[in-house]
Amino acid sequence: MDNLVLPIPVKENKCSGIGAVLSNRCPHCREGKLFLNDNAYDFKNNLKMHENCPVCKQPTEIEVGFYYGTSYISYLLTVALSGVTFILWWIFVGVSVNDDRILYWLGINSALIIIIQPLLMRLSRTLWLSFFVKYNPDWREYEVNQYERIVKEQMN
């Protein structure tokens, strides 16, 4: 009984796809953090990402200019958020053409969007990457895809 060696269990990932996106985790392994800095309001380093996932080594930039498409995602998130705040304003405050309630909503909505814009930009990058990189629960057993369209001399 003294020589009994138990295998070390591999930590099973409990993060769902939505949880990985909301916590800005790698879509391939759902464990590694995508951004160098956890603080979204550090404006100097807000969008700086790891070149590869620190856990599974998945490249975070698939091709040159890959993240230009995030502007569409950010726009969609902003419009959806504005729609939700308008519906909530309509339910709780009301909308009328006889007073300035709609202008108050517009001001509050604009301020809210400006305040959470760094979070929306990060979320849109994570969503965009997760559209192209799929989760692999057996990522430890396979090598990561190396994309052909990356030319290191043309980056940055």
Side-chain angles (χ1 to χ4, degrees), residues 61-91:
E61 188 153 351
I62 295 176
E63 63 184 45
V64 177
F66 175 68
Y67 289 106
Y68 286 135
T70 60
S71 60
Y72 298 109
I73 303 297
S74 182
Y75 176 74
L76 180 68
L77 291 173
T78 303
V79 169
L81 181 67
S82 295
V84 167
T85 59
F86 181 76
I87 290 171
L88 290 174
W89 186 269
W90 190 1
I91 291 170

Side-chain angles (χ1 to χ4, degrees), residues 2-120:
D2 347 312
N3 296 342
L4 180 65
V5 178
L6 296 174
I8 299 172
V10 176
K11 180 186 166 202
E12 195 62 36
N13 186 8
K14 301 291 184 194
C15 194
S16 68
I18 294 172
V21 168
L22 292 177
S23 62
N24 295 317
R25 302 269 179 194
C26 172
H28 186 249
C29 66
R30 295 183 182 169
E31 292 178 19
K33 293 182 179 183
L34 291 175
F35 294 95
L36 293 173
N37 191 351
D38 287 338
N39 184 7
Y41 292 97
D42 178 12
F43 297 119
K44 193 172 188 178
N45 302 315
N46 181 21
L47 295 178
K48 291 189 178 176
M49 300 176 74
H50 293 284
E51 191 172 315
N52 297 315
C53 172
V55 176
C56 69
K57 306 301 181 219
Q58 169 69 39
T60 56
E61 188 153 351
I62 295 176
E63 63 184 45
V64 177
F66 175 68
Y67 289 106
Y68 286 135
T70 60
S71 60
Y72 298 109
I73 303 297
S74 182
Y75 176 74
L76 180 68
L77 291 173
T78 303
V79 169
L81 181 67
S82 295
V84 167
T85 59
F86 181 76
I87 290 171
L88 290 174
W89 186 269
W90 190 1
I91 291 170
F92 293 111
V93 177
V95 177
S96 173
V97 292
N98 298 329
D99 56 14
D100 294 334
R101 285 186 268 181
I102 192 77
L103 295 177
Y104 292 134
W105 166 78
L106 189 61
I108 291 171
N109 185 60
S110 299
L112 177 68
I113 287 176
I114 289 171
I115 289 170
I116 66 168
Q117 191 60 38
L119 297 172
L120 290 176

